[in-house]
């Protein structure tokens, strides 16, 4: 089972954090600090895996953004790597050639996509199409809401 | 109303939305904190408004700020408000914020139960979805309990979107509220066959997680999973299923066989895809089982290995992300998994793995390190460790270096140092490791040093020398405060130097090093060991120096102790303080004695006498339960029974108070104690006369005057110098090589010889083959204290024993020789009594006659002295004069010498012996414990008048337990009372084949063992005796035919056992 997923920039700025188990703020901050320092200290062509306490840390860099996944020790490293890659594919599909700025300015969307893909530390949906479809559907619902709201504002 | 809305919308136009906030933060790089604090103020204003859209916007911004590390817990209630909005847009934001900010201790979670329940049953599937997603992040035991039923119904929702989420969240619910598992499980099982693949994979995920925790309960699902595995095309699901089988196969070996075929199919089907490797790893889990054919295992790992060694990037065409480093890592990981089952196949790749130690990537290095553990052998240990030591020197990060250090120690010490052939090498490796800066593992090195020094006797001399140098250069270790971890090593060094101080070359120098003022900066527990071991060293030094004629050296040492110890007496650490002040007083006393020219070394070293032997953890099992001891029997009768026994009238003297009238054990519970303590503290606080403990109470000591207060500045060398005089471990590698080569050469020689003898034609075949494991004989032998000894080491032990035996025999021969040489000096003589035992025929008889002496010294206890009367009889033809009688004192028994003479001086026998004359002399011995028999070695020196040569005779004095007994008459009623009193331990012995009249037998016991007959009835008699220390010994002797049974009672079981043994021996001799 996965424990957390972090996205951070090359400068160590956090772009997204997802915790699959409930944790206190202090623990979270410690993990974030450890992860950013550990991952950023890695040499360029190293492998993507690290051991941190009893967790396996799997990370991958896409352009200027590091995706870092903490999984329990009996999980498969390659599977974790694949999960990261799948998430990037999903983001790419949604934003269309995703870049760091997309995630910064639409961070809630990035969360929504992640929530459709993973849940409670497990993979929820392996099919890209289905994830995309459900994201689109809920976005449609939101559009409806907003247009409704405009109506209220204009004619209310 | 309309105005309000319009006003709100106008306000909103000036509000920042999320994009503005992000942009703003990016534009205020210099004063980000200030900018954000104004933003938070704005957000607080926004949250006060009624407009839900404004609130949602504010909460959204807060979520972003939370990610940046700002505390937003104050807005928890507002988040709940937004969550409960009926609009999906806001609800979504609210749940997102909640899932990011809430944790188990957030109190507003209690308020959300009903809202979540409402959302779960919402007609809109996305409302439900959002609620489930949020819940998965912050579910608490309360929420799990309250909502378990709702979620369970959702598991059979019409929409697969809801079903899969419900299935997944069920796992979280099980974790928080385990009672829900039983009712929900059937439905969960159903979901394994759900038509929707998403739901199916979710169910597989959940069951895999559950099965990992407790595989036994899920064995029954194996057929179902088997079906899924053969039918599913979803690789993600397949991986999970293989993982699940990995957990199940150890419980059901037949499963393994069945799985081979479908798995091989899978491999072929998905060849050249990432999945190949995934499946491989699924396999390695299974490979623990022998039932898996080696073919598949090696296939998998060869696939990985090929890509590893050939350096082919992207072995699998489709895997865009498989770098060479990744493959390497996975290869090593795979190896570590098959190492357990197929160590040979991994060991053949030793070089490859050692290469990985040089990898730039720390993760790969760590994996390779893990593998090394299982790969060492006697042959390659030194080489591997040498390599690791080079890495230790090169390593930059402390974590990796510490990891290396622990690995080196792990590798060397595994299975009782099985692979170490030269312990000098190991000690020097440990010493080299102490040079590491800032390691946390000082205690690990220290414990290894102690372990090796204690268990490998042959190494002690070397180890002590090393430790002495360490102590001498302690400033190198402690110089830097950052290196604190390593000073633990000094703990071991000090202890080893103290305990085995007899091996020290220059004990005074070491003692001086241990008492340096700088020591006071070490942690308390180390100082304590320093002080204690300084005392041990002191004892050894005294012993060494008292042999010399010059007593000033010894006095100087005492003076040094007295000068230096006060520093420790002032220590803030209780342990140090206590030990130091104790030892200081002792040394002062010793000094006084020294000034009077009294020899004290013997007594002082007696304080630390006794050798420390390693004891196996299971050693207790080997101790036989003494006869007549029932471990399950009650020592005291259980209380309920004893009450009924009380009714029986007992002897008047032993009447006890009734049990229940004893003061009842008042049971005060913790709470009560805490309450009382609190009350007492309160009282003390209010009492002006109560002097509170001041934290600076230790200052009291500093009033004591002394030079020690003048701070001594020590030059601090923070440069990691090489500790002078420490050997480099490398040289051992060379030495070892040479040694082995020698051995090999010798072996070859032998083989050649053999071959020559045999004259066989095809001899040359295994001439220069590589040495096998068994060929390497260790240079030192470890005391292996576990019960299960490895075969090899036990072999060595046997060899050793044999050697020892041989040596003994040699010695004996020598003695015989010796004896012949002397036999003309003293004549041959017969020996009469069993209490004397000589190695050679003696010219005199020894007749130890224990006697109670009451008049010697008032302060000595009665019964601590034994008089030995010795009859010297000259059977030779020469006149013997100036005889000196000397005995080597043991801890327990000492010959009493006139005051002023040393502990090794002999006593002059106060007469001369003309030929054929005998005379008796008496010697007084001080005995502490009389429960065990004892042998003392002694010598008699004399001058033969004619030849005027000094001659020497060795003898042994045998203090039997019997000799401590005094014939004491006892009346039958007193005897009965004694037996009744019940504090005597009983024991018994049987003598077979005693062929003598009963009265004869009794007389024998009386004569030889100092008993007196109390009463005799027919073939039964009771006897009594008393030891010089007042132990009562009672015997009941019965005879029937040729067997005599003796039941005995005594208040000292050891003494009794020994007396009985002696009686038995007496009768076995006749």
């Amino acid at each position: 089972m996965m424990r957390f997923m972090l996205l951070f920039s090359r400068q160590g700025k956090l772009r997204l954090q997802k915790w699959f188990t409930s944790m206190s703020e202090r623990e979270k901050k410690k993990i974030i600090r450890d992860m950013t320092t550990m991952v950023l200290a890695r040499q360029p062509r190293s492998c993507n895996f690290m051991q941190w306490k009893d967790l396996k840390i799997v990370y991958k860099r896409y352009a200027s953004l590091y995706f870092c996944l903490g999984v329990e020790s009996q999980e498969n490293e390659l599977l974790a790597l694949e999960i990261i890659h799948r998430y990037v594919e999903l983001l790419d599909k949604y934003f269309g050639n995703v870049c760091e700025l997309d995630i910064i300015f639409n961070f809630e969307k990035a969360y929504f996509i992640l929530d459709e893909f993973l849940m409670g530390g497990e993979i929820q949906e392996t099919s890209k199409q289905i994830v995309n479809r459900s994201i689109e559907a809920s976005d449609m619902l939101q559009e409806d809401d907003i247009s409704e709201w405009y109506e209220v504002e204009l004619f209310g | 109303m309309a105005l309000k809305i319009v006003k709100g919308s106008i306000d909103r136009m000036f509000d920042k939305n999320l994009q503005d906030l992000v942009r703003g933060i990016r534009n205020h790089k210099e004063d980000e904190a200030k900018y954000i604090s104004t933003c938070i103020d704005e957000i607080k204003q926004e949250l006060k408004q009624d407009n839900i859209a404004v609130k949602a916007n504010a909460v959204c911004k807060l979520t972003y700020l939370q990610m940046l590390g700002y505390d937003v817990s104050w807005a928890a209630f507002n988040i709940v408000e937004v969550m409960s909005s009926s609009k999906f847009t806001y609800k979504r934001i609210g749940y997102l914020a909640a899932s990011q900010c809430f944790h188990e201790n957030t109190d507003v979670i209690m308020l959300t139960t009903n809202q979540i329940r409402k959302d779960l049953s919402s007609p809109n599937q996305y409302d439900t979805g959002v609620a489930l997603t949020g819940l998965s992040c912050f579910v608490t035991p309360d929420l799990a309990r309250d909502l378990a039923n709702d979620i369970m119904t959702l598991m059979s929702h019409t929409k697969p979107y809801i079903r899969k989420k419900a299935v997944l969240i069920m796992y979280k619910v099980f974790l928080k509220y385990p009672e829900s598992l039983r009712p929900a499980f059937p439905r969960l099982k159903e979901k394994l066959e759900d038509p929707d693949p998403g739901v199916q994979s979710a169910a597989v995920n959940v069951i895999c997680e559950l099965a990992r925790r407790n595989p036994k309960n899920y064995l029954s699902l194996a057929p179902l999973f088997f079906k899924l595995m053969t039918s599913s095309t979803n690789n993600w699901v397949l991986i999970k299923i293989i993982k699940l089988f990995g957990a199940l196969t150890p419980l059901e070996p037949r499963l393994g066989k069945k799985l081979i075929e479908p798995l091989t199919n899978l491999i072929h089907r998905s060849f050249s895809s990432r999945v190949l490797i995934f499946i491989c790893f699924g396999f390695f889990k299974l490979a623990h089982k022998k039932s898996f054919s080696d073919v598949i295992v090696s296939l998998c790992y060869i696939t990985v290995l090929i890509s590893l060694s050939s350096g082919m990037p992207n072995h699998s065409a489709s895997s865009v992300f498989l770098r060479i480093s990744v493959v390497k890592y996975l290869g090593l990981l795979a190896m570590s998994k098959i190492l357990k089952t197929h160590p040979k196949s991994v060991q053949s790749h030793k070089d490859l793995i050692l290469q990985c130690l040089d990898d730039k990537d720390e993760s790969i290095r760590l994996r390779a390190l893990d593998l090394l553990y299982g790969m060492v052998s006697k042959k390659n240990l030194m080489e591997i460790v040498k390599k690791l030591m080079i890495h230790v020197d090169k390593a930059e990060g402390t974590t990796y270096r510490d990891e290396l250090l622990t690995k080196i120690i792990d590798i060397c010490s595994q299975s009782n140092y099985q692979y170490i052939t030269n312990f000098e090498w190991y000690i020097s490796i440990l010493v080299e490791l102490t040079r590491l800066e800032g390691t946390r593992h000082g205690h690990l090195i220290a414990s290894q040093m102690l372990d090796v020094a204690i268990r490998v006797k042959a190494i002690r001399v070397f180890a002590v020398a090393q430790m002495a140098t360490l102590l001498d250069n302690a400033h190198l270790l402690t110089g830097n405060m950052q290196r604190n971890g390593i000073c633990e090593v000094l703990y071991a060094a000090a202890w080893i130097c103290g305990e085995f101080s007899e091996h020290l070359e220059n004990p005074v120098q070491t003692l001086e090093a241990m008492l340096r003022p700088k020591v006071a900066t070490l942690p308390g527990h180390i100082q304590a060991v320093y002080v204690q071991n300084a005392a041990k060293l002191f004892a050894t030094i005294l012993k060494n120096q008292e042999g010399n004629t010059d007593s000033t050296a010894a006095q100087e040492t005492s003076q040094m102790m007295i000068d230096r110890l006060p520093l420790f007496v002032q220590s803030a650490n209780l342990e140090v303080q206590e030990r130091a002040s104790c030892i200081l007083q002792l040394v002062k006393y010793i000094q006084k004695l020294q000034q009077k020219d009294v020899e004290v070394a013997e007594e002082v070293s007696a304080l630390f006498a006794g050798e420390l032997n390693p004891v196996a953890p299971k050693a207790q099992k080997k101790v036989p339960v003494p006869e007549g001891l029932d471990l399950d029997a009650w020592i005291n009768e259980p209380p309920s029974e004893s009450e009924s026994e009380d009714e029986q009238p007992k002897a008047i003297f032993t009447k006890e108070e009734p049990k229940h009238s004893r003061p009842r054990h008042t049971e005060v519970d913790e709470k009560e104690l805490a309450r009382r303590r609190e009350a007492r503290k309160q009282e003390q606080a209010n009492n002006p006369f109560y002097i509170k403990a001041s934290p600076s109470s230790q200052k009291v000591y500093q009033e004591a005057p002394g030079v020690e207060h003048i701070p001594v500045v020590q030059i601090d060398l923070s440069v990691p110098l090489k500790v002078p005089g420490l050997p480099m471990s490398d040289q051992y590698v060379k030495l070892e090589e040479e040694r082995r080569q020698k051995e090999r050469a010798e072996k070859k020689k032998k083989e050649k010889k053999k071959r020559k003898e045999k004259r066989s034609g095809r001899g040359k075949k295994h001439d220069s083959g590589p040495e096998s494991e068994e060929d390497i004989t260790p240079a030192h032998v470890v005391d292996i204290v576990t019960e299960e000894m490895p075969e090899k080491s036990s072999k060595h032990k046997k060899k050793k024993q044999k050697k020892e035996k041989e040596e003994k025999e040699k010695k004996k021969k020598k003695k015989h020789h010796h004896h012949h040489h002397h036999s003309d000096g003293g004549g041959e003589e017969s020996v009469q009594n069993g209490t004397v035992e000589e190695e050679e025929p003696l010219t005199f008889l020894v007749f130890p006659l224990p006697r109670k002496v009451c008049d010697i010294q008032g302060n000595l206890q009665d019964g601590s002295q034994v008089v030995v009367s010795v009859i010297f009889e000259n059977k030779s033809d020469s006149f013997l004069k100036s005889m000196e009688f000397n005995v080597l004192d043991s801890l327990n028994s000492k010959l009493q010498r006139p005051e002023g003479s040393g502990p090794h001086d002999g006593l002059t026998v106060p007469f001369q012996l003309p030929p054929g004359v005998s005379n008796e002399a008496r010697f007084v011995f001080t005995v502490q414990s009389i429960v065990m028999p004892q042998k003392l070695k002694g010598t008699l020196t004399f001058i033969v008048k004619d030849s005027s040569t000094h001659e020497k005779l060795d003898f042994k004095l045998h203090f039997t337990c019997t000799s401590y007994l005094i014939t004491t008459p006892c009346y039958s009623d007193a005897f009965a009372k004694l037996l009744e009193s019940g504090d005597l331990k009983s024991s018994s012995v049987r003598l077979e084949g005693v062929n003598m009249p009963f009265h004869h037998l009794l007389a024998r016991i009386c004569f030889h063992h100092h008993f007196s007959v109390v009463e005799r009835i027919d073939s039964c008699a009771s006897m009594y005796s008393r030891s010089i220390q007042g132990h009562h010994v009672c015997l009941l002797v019965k005879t029937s035919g040729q067997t005599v049974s003796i039941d005995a009672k005594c208040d000292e079981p050891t003494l009794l056992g020994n007396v009985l043994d002696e009686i038995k021996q007496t009768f076995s001799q006749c």
Side-chain angles (χ1 to χ4, degrees), chain B residues 27-176:
Chain B
N27 290 337
H28 290 77
K29 284 224 166 80
E30 284 78 37
D31 51 347
E32 192 186 289
K34 199 178 151 208
Y35 177 75
I36 287 176
S37 74
T38 55
C39 287
I40 288 182
D41 286 341
E42 281 169 24
I43 290 169
K44 280 186 180 163
Q45 288 303 316
E46 284 164 31
L47 286 175
K48 278 182 191 149
Q49 292 193 26
D50 285 337
N51 192 329
I52 193 72
V54 178
K55 270 188 188 166
N57 186 37
V59 164
C60 188
K61 286 193 278 184
L62 276 180
T63 317
Y64 187 79
L65 292 178
Q66 188 266 345
M67 187 172 69
L68 294 183
Y70 292 90
D71 176 39
V72 296
S73 53
W74 49 270
F77 187 75
N78 303 102
I79 293 173
V80 176
E81 274 184 317
V82 177
M83 269 164 74
S84 51
S85 154
S86 56
K87 293 236 164 41
F88 178 68
T89 320
Y90 309 137
K91 193 184 285 301
R92 207 182 187 188
I93 288 170
Y95 272 106
L96 175 66
S99 68
Q100 292 299 106
C101 310
F102 288 3
H103 49 86
E104 281 202 4
N105 299 326
T106 310
D107 38 11
V108 289
I109 284 185
M110 290 188 307
L111 306 175
T112 58
T113 317
N114 278 323
Q115 179 58 41
I116 295 172
R117 184 172 283 148
K118 213 175 103 196
D119 288 335
L120 289 183
S121 52
S122 155
N124 184 340
Q125 62 166 332
Y126 293 106
D127 279 352
T128 316
V130 149
L132 284 172
T133 314
L135 190 60
S136 78
C137 291
F138 58 80
V139 61
T140 62
D142 285 339
L143 279 179
R145 191 192 56 228
D146 295 340
L147 298 173
N149 263 326
D150 303 75
I151 298 170
M152 215 147 59
T153 28
L154 287 182
M155 276 165 74
S156 12
H157 198 272
T158 49
K159 300 263 171 44
Y161 179 77
I162 302 297
R163 283 208 302 273
K164 70 182 178 204
K165 279 186 191 264
V167 168
L168 278 178
I169 202 175
M170 226 32 217
Y171 178 61
K172 292 267 166 181
V173 174
F174 294 152
L175 286 186
K176 300 285 175 194

Side-chain angles (χ1 to χ4, degrees), chain B residues 505-522:
Chain B
E505 245 172 57
N506 192 348
V508 183
Q509 191 192 339
T510 311
L511 180 65
E512 195 271 330
M514 278 167 83
L515 294 172
R516 279 179 200 151
K518 195 94 203 277
V519 172
T521 56
L522 290 173

